[in-house]
Amino acid sequence: MTRTLSQQQLDTLGQLVIELPSWAFGNSGTRFKVFGTPGTPRDPFEKIADAAQVSKYTGLGQVVALHYPWDKVDDYGTLLEHAQEHGVGLGTVNSNTFQDDDFKFGSLTHEDSKLRQKAIDHHFECIDIMNVTGSRDLKIWLADGSNYPGQADMRGRQDRLQDSLQQIYARLSDAQRLVLEYKFFEPAFYHTDVPDWGTSYAQVSALGDKAVVCLDTGHHAPGTNIEFIVMQLLRLGKLGSFDFNSRFYADDDLIVGAADPYQLFRILTEVIRGGGWNNPNLAFMLDQCHNVEDKIPGQIRSVLNVQEMAARALLLDRDALGEAQRSGDVLEANEIFMDAYQIDVREQLAAWRESRGFAANPMRAYAASGYQQQIAQERVGGQQASWGA
Ligand code: PSV
Ligand code: MN
């Protein structure tokens, strides 16, 4: 088998676009503690400047996803110009109905029509922002759910959710999409209103072609075969985006590929099987937080992990695999699959990166650039941006 990427495969790899979450550059933590870090951005402009560093050294992370109202600014046209000046675009707008007291018992599913309208209006505001930034995707993750059996009428909530989503969907332009994320726990623990891909699929399918599913890799029960879900949603034409991260125990939001690089490889293998990342309908977002490590290199490591696993997935000998599968050679098929995963592509990718004008070793190049020290010195005073600010 070939252990190096052909020029054609490298060209395919070069088409990978990754969206960086603006919130990864702010402080984050757990319910126990949010640590501050010298140099943390104080506003969305500084977050974007930091995101541009990732792109500068890796050629990846060319788009920044926003979270509203965390990234509230007076003028989104100015924010867009700022992003463009830094060589990055603005991508998905993530709504946020999980930090307002009014939404304690739900948002788009709320029993109280006034509060439900408030949640719908929040999404209209997000669409207004998208109209200025040129963003295609409105991503909705709902904290809605209940903690105790009997607490809520789960069925009524599904109906109200569909009605709310229809109103939001009706506001989208033809170039925009609604992307519905699922999560089976937290902050509600007994039931959540969009717990799994099936529910998300049912809800978005009832809306129409411009509504798709977001798969966050941290939102499944341990042991879930996530690549199966990737395959199925791609097959149905309903996988709209990924929120990539890693988990050990819960929604840990760790660096993608850190906990289980093999799982990332398996997911990317199904992405290629389903048409690859040049599928314009599939957004590759990261949804991560860097609680104890520096944020910019944390993001650099993340995009490199995706790139490396994508390269290994490209090296999978699909012809040989297909033959082994058809002939029922279980162990041969498994060996071919594992073989691709085991190939160390780091040296080849370093040379390729350099040939395209990027750093051979982006982690080292960033560390040597002095940017981290510079922001630590310059960004004194003000309020550090945070998950929840
Ligand atoms: C919820 O856990 C989630 O995955 C959603 O995507 C939120 O928008 C994001 O995390 C916040 O980090
Ligand atoms: Mn997410």
Side-chain angles (χ1 to χ4, degrees):
M1 77 168 306
T2 327
R3 305 197 76 83
T4 53
L5 293 135
S6 66
Q7 190 53 50
Q8 200 190 346
Q9 287 170 326
L10 288 171
D11 291 344
T12 303
L13 199 58
Q15 287 163 7
L16 190 59
V17 174
I18 299 180
E19 283 192 48
L20 306 182
S22 67
W23 54 102
F25 300 94
N27 291 328
S28 57
T30 65
R31 63 201 168 99
F32 298 100
K33 170 74 179 163
V34 175
F35 294 102
T37 313
T40 295
R42 280 87 45 91
D43 58 40
F45 291 88
E46 290 181 348
K47 290 184 198 173
I48 287 170
D50 288 3
Q53 292 291 308
V54 177
S55 173
K56 176 178 172 186
Y57 290 102
T58 62
L60 290 160
Q62 310 90 320
V63 182
V64 184
L66 301 175
H67 215 295
Y68 184 72
W70 294 345
D71 293 318
K72 196 175 175 119
V73 294
D74 291 340
D75 180 356
Y76 282 92
T78 311
L79 191 68
L80 177 63
E81 273 169 31
H82 172 78
Q84 286 164 345
E85 276 161 23
H86 282 78
V88 293
L90 295 180
T92 304
V93 172
N94 291 259
S95 64
N96 181 335
T97 56
F98 49 89
Q99 289 176 307
D100 186 322
D101 283 341
D102 278 346
F103 299 139
K104 182 172 171 182
F105 295 122
S107 59
L108 295 181
T109 63
H110 210 292
E111 295 262 7
D112 180 331
S113 57
K114 273 207 245 43
L115 295 181
R116 187 156 75 87
Q117 189 59 50
K118 179 176 168 174
I120 295 170
D121 288 345
H122 168 73
H123 289 86
F124 289 166
E125 264 184 74
C126 290
I127 295 172
D128 290 343
I129 295 169
M130 292 161 64
N131 290 337
V132 180
T133 56
S135 304
R136 178 187 58 176
D137 293 344
L138 168 64
K139 178 149 75 66
I140 304 178
W141 170 71
L142 297 174
D144 298 31
S146 69
N147 273 355
Y148 299 100
Q151 180 190 329
D153 172 22
M154 294 190 286
R155 166 106 184 222
R157 292 170 75 91
Q158 281 303 300
D159 296 339
R160 288 191 293 277
L161 174 59
Q162 179 58 211
D163 181 76
S164 302
L165 292 176
Q166 274 179 21
Q167 294 186 47
I168 297 165
Y169 187 81
R171 276 273 178 134
L172 297 174
S173 76
D174 285 346
Q176 293 170 338
R177 307 192 304 174
L178 184 157
V179 187
L180 186 62
E181 182 172 352
Y182 59 90
K183 178 175 181 178
F184 77 111
F185 71 106
E186 196 198 40
F189 293 116
Y190 167 60
H191 104 277
T192 67
D193 289 303
V194 191
D196 48 32
W197 75 268
T199 304
S200 179
Y201 177 73
Q203 287 284 347
V204 299
S205 295
L207 295 174
D209 290 346
K210 294 182 298 179
V212 283
V213 178
C214 168
L215 185 156
D216 183 313
T217 48
H219 292 182
H220 306 85
T224 300
N225 181 339
I226 297 176
E227 56 273 24
F228 180 87
I229 301 171
V230 172
M231 173 280 293
Q232 187 67 287
L233 286 171
L234 282 172
R235 185 179 156 266
L236 296 166
K238 279 293 189 190
L239 185 59
S241 67
F242 282 104
D243 269 8
F244 276 129
N245 50 49
S246 278
R247 55 166 284 167
F248 287 107
Y249 300 105
D251 188 23
D252 304 341
D253 279 343
L254 298 173
I255 289 173
V256 55
D260 185 354
Y262 184 40
Q263 181 186 65
L264 180 58
F265 168 82
R266 301 194 306 264
I267 289 171
L268 290 165
T269 295
E270 283 306 330
V271 167
I272 294 173
R273 174 73 177 86
W277 43 83
N278 36 24
N279 167 0
N281 299 323
L282 188 55
F284 283 74
M285 269 195 37
L286 306 182
D287 179 9
Q288 294 180 190
C289 297
H290 302 290
N291 299 351
V292 291
E293 66 276 26
D294 280 342
K295 299 157 202 326
I296 298 168
Q299 288 287 289
I300 293 177
R301 171 58 68 214
S302 304
V303 298
L304 293 178
N305 284 353
V306 178
Q307 190 179 55
E308 278 174 25
M309 289 306 137
R312 294 189 197 194
L314 281 171
L315 284 169
L316 176 62
D317 187 341
R318 284 173 187 272
D319 292 340
L321 181 65
E323 218 174 287
Q325 287 172 343
R326 282 186 296 276
S327 65
D329 196 337
V330 177
L331 294 180
E332 176 69 6
N334 181 242
E335 189 176 319
I336 291 166
F337 196 81
M338 289 297 295
D339 248 358
Y341 170 62
Q342 306 280 10
I343 298 171
D344 188 349
V345 291
R346 287 174 298 181
E347 253 179 51
Q348 194 188 358
L349 292 190
W352 172 67
R353 245 179 246 122
E354 214 166 20
S355 74
R356 295 161 66 232
F358 299 106
N361 185 329
M363 294 294 284
R364 296 247 167 80
Y366 171 73
S369 73
Y371 185 85
Q372 195 74 40
Q373 293 76 2
Q374 185 195 324
I375 54 173
Q377 254 169 29
E378 284 173 7
R379 294 177 184 168
V380 179
Q383 171 100 28
Q384 295 197 334
S386 171
W387 197 93

